[in-house]
Amino acid sequence: MKDDALKLKVKQPPKTSAGVHAVTNALRHLYGKMGPIHATRGLLALNQKGGIDCQSCAWPDPEHRTINEFCENGAKALADEGTKKKIGADFFAEYSVSDLAAFDDYWLNGQGRLTEPLILREGGTHYEPISWEDAIRMVAGKLNSLASADEAVFYTSGRTSNEAAFLYQLFVRQFGTNNLPDCSNMCHESTSVALAESIGLGKATIRLEDFEKTDLVIVVGQNPGTNSPRMLSSLAAAKAAGAKMIAINPLKEVGLTSFVDPNPQHGNVFGVLGLSPAKLADLHLPVRIGGDMAVIKGLMKILLEREQLSRGSVLDQEFITANTVGFDEMAASLDAVEMSDILASSGLSREQLDTAAQMILDARSFITCWAMGVTQHTDAVATIQDIVNLHLLRGAIGRAGAGLCPVRGHSNVQGDRTMGIWEKMTPVFRENLEREFGFAAPSKDGLNTVESIAAMAEGRAKVFFAMGGNFAAASPDTDAVSAALANCDLTVQVITKLNRTALTPGKTSIILPCLGRSEIDIQAGGEQFVSTESTMLNVQMSKGIFEPISEHLRSETWIVCTLAYAVLGGRSTVDWAAMAADYDMIRDAISRVVPGCENYNERIREEGGFYMPNPPRARRFPTAAGKALFTASPLSTVELPPGRLMLTTIRSHDQFNTTIYGLDDRYRGIDGHRRVIFLNRGDIEKYGLKPGQNVDITSHFEGVERHVSGFSVVPYEIPADCAAAYFPEANPLIPLGSVAKRSCTPTSKCVIISVQASKG
Ligand SMILES: Nc1nc2c(c(=O)[nH]1)N[C@H]1C(S)=C(S)[C@@H](COP(=O)(O)OP(=O)(O)OC[C@H]3O[C@@H](n4cnc5c(=O)[nH]c(N)nc54)[C@H](O)[C@@H]3O)O[C@H]1N2
Ligand SMILES: Nc1nc2c(c(=O)[nH]1)N[C@H]1C(S)=C(S)[C@@H](COP(=O)(O)OP(=O)(O)OC[C@H]3O[C@@H](n4cnc5c(=O)[nH]c(N)nc54)[C@H](O)[C@@H]3O)O[C@H]1N2
Ligand SMILES: [Mo]
């Protein structure tokens, strides 16, 4: 650990994002891992109509695509999946599970693709090959031996295709449980809960073209330069068309301030040859971690004050009267909040809020984008509902250039939920599913991610099955989740790469290696394609172009069908073999079950695919009241006891969640090291620390302490009392019991910590 720290170099963060560096970095990853021919073919197919839907994020593709419609991090994701390196029986004979567990995530990922099914037998020390037949038979046997279907948990990560996701939830429900936790539980669940209640749909209300029609974009708690780089093109296009931009973020992220389009084909909007930097944010509000609700309430309070001074100048009264309920209660709840509390909680000045409020008043239409900086907080649901309130005040929803834009993470996390991956079900979905397949779906809600961990720890759940993802590393409270997995009789993962979860196994552990999205999928019925839904509700096909890296890989869809048949046999009404042979059969079923997917097979073949229904976009709000809902909530502030800091956990520029591509974070000036803690210079001094010093971090929650060690102090422009460290290295600090109200999302962005000089 110490040696590692010596490799850390801290530089001045760059002044612009993307640009030529992004291109050279993308090419280094691609050519290095895939070779020139593969790399070029892959890039030409990425995000093209009929090509591969990029694995890296859920940002939609523009209507008119250039031939290089990808970004640096999309290229890294493609290279990571398309790597020529692979690991098989020899590798696993050489390294025991405990040998492998001693390596870091960067090394594990770097070993290459999994190539054959593997089993770690009870009491065994090494994974060893197993045939598909035996692996499936073992999993089915174990599932069928359980006293109740609720003793199994079926996790999904957001890369799974619509087709695989639909069949997976069908299998799980026919098996008899709703235990379908997913990565969304840790991600945008707060958004889904908030928006479903406030506007009747838990998704974005805008489309890509709205960026060119808007006057103002507000980006809250999101780092698009790293996590949805193609969004920078939309932000730059908005700016080029005259829009303003506000960034609300404790960090001054480079991607939010300035952008050089690496793709000259995007036209001249960014200046000569597309190489002069576009200034993005006009106003940066360096909010204290967790202070976003205060910011939004502050803005609304100022708007209502202005309205009182000059009636009709602020509120869109016509919209409010015709389309909303609850205005009076919301306004009264704002009256009860003191501006001094808002300023203290946000860490901002009245002037800063006035400037932002004026920018909103000057804008006829505005878009608000948000991501994890908002959703992973105790009061995330109420904060997102305040964002909705702000839009409703101005009627800034359901018209050109105005609306809500939660930016989803995984490339198909939204589609998976549309396809029924959820521990709950809407009445319509249940009714359609039961009718289509002639069975009674389980009536009790299932377990979400955090509840699943508790169930495994207590022995109520005995089998953990994962369709993708890296549950052990992505979940909060790493030690608790590892112990919970170890308590299972069987853990099974359908994955592409070796990961931490495979190394924190249950008593028996099975790895089922699957095709990646970039690989050709041939089934009995010929070559197949799949489909995904972007964060703006566009459903599109995705088709692999590379020969699979091993002949022993199977598609996720095939794995679900084969397992379902082995488990359910004659109990199931589904023709699993036919579904596995021809994915059109799956899409036909989807078209009859999922509202908005009618004629799926026809419409998915149209150029650019189709859009899911979006009633709020047309100012129809299918809520209980039939109108958009103003919601009232008190100002919530997290109290920070003396001697404590508020830690947020963030992604570097060189990772995709728990997949670590490299040890640098170019946009924040970090080189060669991930165990760093970003601290305000004043706090470094206050706690008697020094830049570069080795420290241990302790989190404090309900009297329990959790620890990590060997972190290096990095001075950074971050508000006082705030700190940031990378996910997943900081996950052992995140208390399992600390979750957002109503969405149960782990509060990964507000962990109360103290920092101590390292003892070692
Ligand atoms: N290359 C790449 N792309 C990705 C991913 C990846 O790991 N790598 N992950 C994908 C996934 S699953 C997701 S969900 C998205 C995540 O995308 P983001 O939400 O952008 O990811 P985070 O790094 O968690 O960043 C959150 C941002 O919120 C800020 N922040 C932290 N705390 C607060 C706060 O209290 N208030 C405010 N206002 N801001 C705060 C941080 O400074 C940071 O800029 O990206 C997706 N795309
Ligand atoms: N502290 C902290 N914790 C967090 C977050 C945070 O911001 N801070 N963010 C949370 C968020 S937003 C999310 S979405 C979760 C992410 O949680 P997950 O989705 O569970 O994690 P990933 O790291 O995306 O999963 C990576 C694994 O997926 C497998 N994989 C890759 N491609 C495929 C494929 O095509 N098919 C299949 N079957 N498997 C594949 C690979 O083996 C790889 O190891 O983490 C959450 N955890
Ligand atoms: Mo996510």
Side-chain angles (χ1 to χ4, degrees):
M1 208 74 78
K2 282 232 174 80
D3 293 347
D4 265 8
L6 293 178
K7 292 184 200 136
L8 167 67
K9 281 202 204 88
V10 182
K11 304 182 199 157
Q12 197 61 21
K15 294 215 158 42
T16 60
S17 61
V20 179
H21 275 310
V23 178
T24 47
N25 243 320
L27 295 180
R28 188 168 55 82
H29 276 266
L30 278 161
Y31 286 75
K33 290 183 177 161
M34 299 172 80
I37 298 173
H38 253 52
T40 311
R41 280 192 58 214
L43 280 186
L44 289 176
L46 209 55
N47 295 324
Q48 297 304 313
K49 293 173 181 172
I52 311 164
D53 179 52
C54 180
Q55 302 92 330
S56 193
C57 79
W59 195 252
D61 302 316
E63 191 54 34
H64 302 288
R65 298 167 206 197
T66 61
I67 73 164
N68 43 349
E69 208 51 71
F70 61 89
C71 70
E72 176 186 354
N73 281 343
K76 285 184 197 162
L78 178 68
D80 198 69
E81 182 175 294
T83 177
K84 287 186 165 162
K85 287 174 91 175
K86 47 185 173 179
I87 46 179
D90 294 352
F91 175 89
F92 288 99
E94 185 182 343
Y95 294 102
S96 70
V97 171
S98 58
D99 290 341
L100 291 169
F103 288 105
D104 65 14
D105 295 327
Y106 175 50
W107 187 90
L108 291 177
N109 179 58
Q111 301 315 298
R113 288 282 300 277
L114 293 159
T115 52
E116 57 190 316
L118 299 160
I119 182 165
L120 176 68
R121 295 184 193 277
E122 190 161 355
T125 53
H126 290 66
Y127 275 99
E128 52 189 271
I130 181 174
S131 68
W132 275 103
E133 293 69 27
D134 289 347
I136 296 279
R137 199 176 309 126
M138 274 193 74
V139 179
K142 181 68 205 178
L143 286 174
N144 279 332
S145 76
L146 296 174
S148 145
D150 290 333
E151 289 183 351
V153 160
F154 296 88
Y155 177 70
T156 314
S157 168
R159 226 178 241 194
T160 297
S161 67
N162 278 356
E163 288 75 1
F166 180 77
L167 289 188
Y168 183 52
Q169 61 82 32
L170 172 62
F171 155 57
V172 170
R173 288 179 167 131
Q174 289 208 330
F175 175 61
T177 181
N178 284 317
N179 286 349
L180 283 159
D182 69 344
C183 69
S184 211
N185 295 150
M186 301 185 260
C187 184
H188 263 294
E189 197 69 76
S190 306
T191 300
S192 303
V193 172
L195 295 188
E197 187 182 83
S198 290
I199 61 167
L201 178 77
K203 301 181 182 179
T205 70
I206 62 152
R207 287 190 187 168
L208 212 47
E209 64 256 27
D210 285 304
F211 280 91
E212 287 167 42
K213 299 175 186 159
T214 195
D215 301 318
L216 174 68
V217 185
I218 307 177
V219 181
V220 199
Q222 195 209 344
N223 183 18
T226 285
N227 297 315
S228 352
R230 288 186 307 132
M231 176 175 164
L232 296 187
S233 304
S234 298
L235 292 176
K239 292 290 313 221
K244 297 266 189 261
M245 180 178 152
I246 302 175
I248 305 178
N249 198 310
L251 307 183
K252 197 171 178 182
E253 303 283 22
V254 175
L256 289 168
T257 52
S258 181
F259 167 64
V260 177
D261 192 355
N263 181 353
Q265 287 177 310
H266 279 143
N268 298 324
V269 285
F270 318 115
V272 185
L273 290 177
L275 289 176
S276 65
K279 180 169 179 278
L280 293 179
D282 301 275
L283 178 68
H284 173 225
L285 299 178
V287 63
R288 287 183 47 179
I289 292 169
D292 301 278
M293 182 194 256
V295 177
I296 308 294
K297 285 199 191 296
L299 294 174
M300 289 196 289
K301 229 175 142 59
I302 296 171
L303 293 187
L304 290 184
E305 281 168 16
R306 298 279 187 93
E307 172 73 13
Q308 293 220 311
L309 291 176
S310 163
R311 287 235 171 258
S313 65
V314 176
L315 301 183
D316 184 341
Q317 200 56 60
E318 213 178 294
F319 171 81
I320 294 174
T321 310
N323 296 293
T324 71
V325 291
F327 174 83
D328 292 340
E329 294 83 344
M330 194 280 297
S333 77
L334 269 183
D335 271 347
V337 182
E338 296 297 333
M339 190 48 99
S340 54
D341 291 336
I342 285 177
L343 299 182
S345 172
S346 66
L348 302 174
S349 66
R350 172 74 199 226
E351 292 68 39
Q352 283 170 309
L353 290 184
D354 277 332
T355 309
Q358 189 57 49
M359 287 168 75
I360 294 173
L361 283 174
D362 290 343
R364 212 188 62 79
S365 52
F366 70 101
I367 293 172
T368 304
C369 305
W370 71 91
M372 298 304 102
V374 177
T375 63
Q376 297 173 335
H377 283 284
T378 314
D379 269 297
V381 173
T383 304
I384 295 161
Q385 292 191 314
D386 271 336
I387 294 176
V388 177
N389 289 337
L390 179 65
H391 277 257
L392 297 180
L393 288 179
R394 302 278 292 158
I397 187 166
R399 57 181 168 79
L404 303 163
C405 181
V407 181
R408 287 240 151 43
H410 263 297
S411 52
N412 197 39
V413 63
Q414 186 157 309
D416 289 348
R417 188 53 71 84
T418 305
M419 292 297 126
I421 300 290
W422 194 19
E423 71 276 5
K424 301 174 184 164
M425 259 187 283
T426 62
V428 177
F429 188 90
R430 170 191 294 279
E431 197 181 299
N432 292 355
L433 193 71
E434 291 183 337
R435 191 195 57 237
E436 172 71 16
F437 296 105
F439 79 111
S443 52
K444 195 172 76 177
D445 283 354
L447 303 172
N448 61 28
T449 292
V450 167
E451 291 163 347
S452 295
I453 297 168
M456 289 188 270
E458 291 160 18
R460 284 183 283 120
K462 297 184 165 64
V463 175
F464 172 80
F465 187 101
M467 181 55 71
N470 187 3
F471 195 79
S475 299
D477 222 334
T478 314
D479 296 340
V481 77
S482 306
L485 288 167
N487 205 26
C488 288
D489 292 341
L490 175 67
T491 48
V492 187
Q493 285 199 91
V494 179
I495 46 175
T496 52
K497 288 280 198 79
L498 178 60
N499 66 26
R500 190 64 50 195
T501 311
L503 307 176
T504 47
K507 295 184 184 82
T508 301
S509 169
I510 293 180
I511 295 175
L512 303 175
C514 66
L515 294 173
R517 205 181 278 169
S518 59
E519 289 169 319
I520 298 168
D521 180 0
I522 297 188
Q523 301 296 337
E527 194 172 334
Q528 306 296 318
F529 67 87
V530 293
S531 47
T532 59
E533 178 182 341
S534 78
T535 199
M536 290 177 204
L537 290 78
N538 181 214
V539 184
Q540 285 199 58
M541 69 161 66
S542 176
K543 196 168 177 195
I545 59 163
F546 297 130
E547 282 302 322
I549 190 154
S550 154
E551 58 179 330
H552 302 300
L553 301 183
R554 297 289 180 270
S555 75
E556 292 177 342
T557 308
W558 182 93
I559 295 169
V560 172
C561 291
T562 311
L563 180 64
Y565 184 72
V567 173
L568 303 172
R571 271 195 282 158
S572 176
T573 51
V574 180
D575 188 346
W576 295 102
M579 298 269 189
D582 179 359
Y583 299 177
D584 274 357
M585 300 274 296
I586 311 172
R587 286 183 285 267
D588 274 342
I590 292 173
S591 71
R592 291 185 293 266
V593 173
V594 183
C597 285
E598 297 75 18
N599 302 322
Y600 200 174
N601 270 312
E602 223 171 278
R603 290 193 293 156
I604 197 69
R605 286 176 164 85
E606 283 166 14
E607 252 203 44
F610 66 93
Y611 281 93
M612 292 297 293
N614 194 338
R617 207 176 143 70
R619 295 196 159 182
R620 282 184 286 109
F621 301 101
T623 60
K627 290 187 174 188
L629 200 69
F630 277 106
T631 48
S633 62
L635 173 66
S636 106
T637 306
V638 191
E639 292 300 331
L640 205 53
R644 302 280 192 255
L645 297 154
M646 183 70 78
L647 174 80
T648 189
T649 56
I650 54 176
R651 291 154 170 81
S652 82
H653 195 61
D654 251 358
Q655 72 184 88
F656 187 92
N657 296 340
T658 67
T659 300
I660 310 303
Y661 303 136
L663 301 176
D664 304 340
D665 190 4
R666 198 171 77 242
Y667 291 161
R668 300 193 186 104
I670 300 297
D671 236 24
H673 195 51
R674 288 184 52 85
R675 295 179 81 84
V676 294
I677 177 163
F678 298 96
L679 290 173
N680 174 291
R681 283 182 194 277
D683 286 327
I684 295 180
E685 209 165 290
K686 177 170 155 192
Y687 292 106
L689 303 169
K690 290 197 177 59
Q693 180 170 351
N694 217 265
V695 292
D696 301 338
I697 311 172
T698 303
S699 70
H700 307 265
F701 179 72
E702 294 183 344
V704 180
E705 294 188 344
R706 292 169 174 80
H707 306 277
V708 292
S709 57
F711 278 61
S712 299
V713 170
V714 173
Y716 207 77
E717 216 181 303
I718 183 172
D721 300 330
C722 293
Y726 296 127
F727 146 59
E729 284 77 0
N731 282 38
L733 294 172
I734 299 169
L736 193 57
S738 175
V739 295
K741 293 175 198 160
R742 299 172 58 204
S743 66
C744 210
T745 299
T747 55
S748 315
K749 295 284 190 277
C750 58
V751 186
I752 295 177
I753 58 156
S754 56
V755 177
Q756 307 84 33
S758 233
K759 292 184 203 83

